[in-house]
Amino acid sequence: VQLQASGGGLVQAGGSLRLSCAASGGTLSRYAMGWFRQGPGKERTFVATITKGGGNTHYADSVKGRFTISRDNAKNMVYLEMNNMKPEDTAVYSCAAKSLASYTLLVTSAHQYDYWGQGTQVTVSS
């Protein structure tokens, strides 16, 4: 499966952005999905994940209550809604897919993911 993230840009602190991840070459419903980010000079970190069917989600503490991950398997799309953004959210955001049999397993470790898309830059100004 090929993944392409989009929707990044420049936003002021307190603002919102919606990232999209489009999947092609495969059926998205076979995969648990995740969003990760890598800030300037930092390592890649987990942001959010969603189960295959979309029934369960998990977030990094730093974004909990501000970000929402969702998916539309019929459209082969995954989204990350980001609200009340902070300068520390500035990073390149990437989506990833993990092939799973389980409909309930959440995957939070980057090394467990099978496929990665190109990232999209998000910059939050203070």
Side-chain angles (χ1 to χ4, degrees), residues 2-9 17-24 28 33-36 68-72 75-82 92-96 116-122:
Q2 291 81 46
L3 304 173
Q4 179 64 54
S6 62
L17 277 177
R18 187 196 198 200
L19 304 184
S20 299
C21 176
S24 60
L28 194 65
M33 298 296 296
W35 284 96
F36 291 79
T68 302
I69 187 172
S70 62
R71 65 192 298 161
D72 186 337
K75 295 182 178 178
N76 269 5
M77 296 291 293
V78 178
Y79 306 99
L80 185 69
E81 184 76 33
M82 304 184 293
V92 174
Y93 285 72
S94 300
C95 56
W116 290 84
Q118 283 188 309
T120 183
Q121 176 69 48
V122 172

